[in-house]
Amino acid sequence: MPATHLIDRGVIRVAGEDARPFLQNLVTNDLDAVTPEKAGYGALLTPQGKIICDFLVVAVPDAEGGGFLLDTPLLHTADLMKRLKLYKLRAKVTLDDLTEATAVIATTDGGALPADAGLVYADPRLLGLGQRALIDRSSAAEIATAPAEDWHARRVALGIPEGGRDFAYGDAFPHEALLDQTGGVSFKKGCYIGQEVVSRMQHRGTARTRVVPVVFDGGIAAETGAEAVAGGKPLGKIGSGANGRALALLRLDRVADAQAAGEPLLGGGMAFTLAKPDFIRFPFPGEAGFGAAA
């Protein structure tokens, strides 16, 4: 059972009798669907609809105190705590940063973790990512012995973006980071911060920029941050990569134009092609319906 300690993750606890409605009114995903048996994935947005921070949401069983644990990017945990406190107002909610005492571990082969490995939950974004667990930090080393690079290589191979690597917090819309494809946005729940912008992009099909998986012809991925171009025109940037594959934030309409003109797609000077995974439902350049709902 290969597993790794994701040292770049933090943990926030949101508890109290108003915890569920408090989060429901703030974040993009539907908290009503989050139970101790099923984790969720969502984000807190700016009023303009851009991602401040995304996170996995884990419901704590009532027998263990109830509430929710947010599996968050470490570098944004303090900012997320600050923003949640601003929105708390008179809600009967307690907020605690558990990062120093709690570790996030994840399988590196898409498999299961031992049932007694802390609070275990399936990664809600994609079945192939396997299980994660929130565990006492002092015990993490006993279970998680694989390098984090193995987990990221699997994530890249499956096509799942990660904030700070494949899109920039404060700059990307949920559609651009594929939250609409990975269960991170509910289009049926009530209002939340930034909801109007996200709904408009969904109904008008105006998401031209997307994180998509790419495969490099030479079997070696370009460095993270490398410019993607075609015919001398910018397409976007290359994100995290492994084993000749990468995730890239690209203007898909410009990719389509380059393909129509017979111009190679280049990342860091190396040729690449798009590789559509099964979970992505919107049409890629060259597919029927592209341009109507990119």
Side-chain angles (χ1 to χ4, degrees):
M1 187 279 304
T4 189
H5 177 192
L6 299 176
I7 61 174
D8 57 353
R9 304 297 292 183
V11 180
I12 291 174
R13 181 164 190 163
V14 183
E17 62 182 273
D18 291 341
R20 189 179 293 271
F22 170 70
L23 288 174
Q24 181 77 316
N25 292 330
L26 293 180
V27 305
T28 58
N29 63 308
D30 185 0
L31 264 291
D32 289 342
V34 178
T35 69
E37 294 75 36
K38 184 179 181 181
Y41 173 53
L44 180 67
L45 309 181
T46 66
Q48 294 75 34
K50 295 190 175 183
I51 301 171
I52 294 173
C53 183
D54 64 340
F55 35 75
L56 306 186
V57 186
V58 184
V60 180
D62 290 340
E64 299 177 25
F68 301 90
L69 296 177
L70 307 183
D71 171 349
T72 69
L74 179 62
L75 292 179
H76 294 268
T77 300
D79 183 50
L80 180 58
M81 273 287 291
K82 180 180 178 180
R83 290 175 184 272
L84 291 175
K85 288 178 179 178
L86 287 175
Y87 287 120
K88 178 183 173 183
L89 299 177
R90 296 182 181 179
K92 295 179 181 179
V93 169
T94 59
L95 301 168
D96 298 287
D97 187 344
L98 306 184
T99 302
E100 289 190 8
T102 309
V104 178
I105 65 174
T107 61
T108 57
D109 65 353
L113 292 167
D116 60 354
L119 184 57
V120 178
Y121 52 101
D123 194 311
R125 294 170 293 181
L126 191 67
L127 181 64
L129 287 173
Q131 291 186 333
R132 295 161 80 99
L134 301 175
I135 189 172
D136 187 281
R137 185 171 289 271
S138 63
S139 303
E142 300 174 11
I143 300 175
T145 58
E149 289 79 4
D150 290 356
W151 187 86
H152 286 293
R154 183 170 184 83
R155 176 183 64 77
V156 170
L158 291 171
I160 301 297
E162 183 163 289
R165 297 172 185 262
D166 306 306
F167 62 90
Y169 289 117
D171 189 53
F173 293 104
H175 284 77
E176 295 176 341
L178 303 187
L179 268 72
D180 63 317
Q181 306 294 305
T182 54
V185 179
S186 170
F187 296 103
K188 296 180 179 179
K189 64 176 279 188
C191 294
Y192 56 87
I193 299 170
Q195 182 260 348
E196 183 177 344
V197 176
V198 176
S199 293
R200 185 163 59 245
M201 293 186 74
Q202 174 72 7
H203 296 303
R204 295 182 179 177
T206 54
R208 296 177 298 178
T209 301
R210 292 277 200 170
V211 175
V212 294
V214 300
V215 177
F216 283 86
D217 293 355
I220 300 176
E223 293 184 359
T224 299
E227 297 287 341
V229 300
K233 299 178 181 178
L235 301 176
K237 289 187 179 296
I238 305 299
S240 49
N243 303 320
R245 301 177 69 92
L247 297 173
L249 183 63
L250 303 177
R251 277 281 299 269
L252 296 186
D253 55 334
R254 294 180 182 175
V255 170
D257 291 343
Q259 291 177 340
E263 298 166 344
L265 311 177
L266 303 175
M270 298 185 290
F272 67 84
T273 56
L274 274 59
K276 186 177 182 178
D278 291 341
F279 75 89
I280 288 183
R281 301 178 298 278
F282 60 84
F284 268 30
E287 293 183 339
F290 178 80

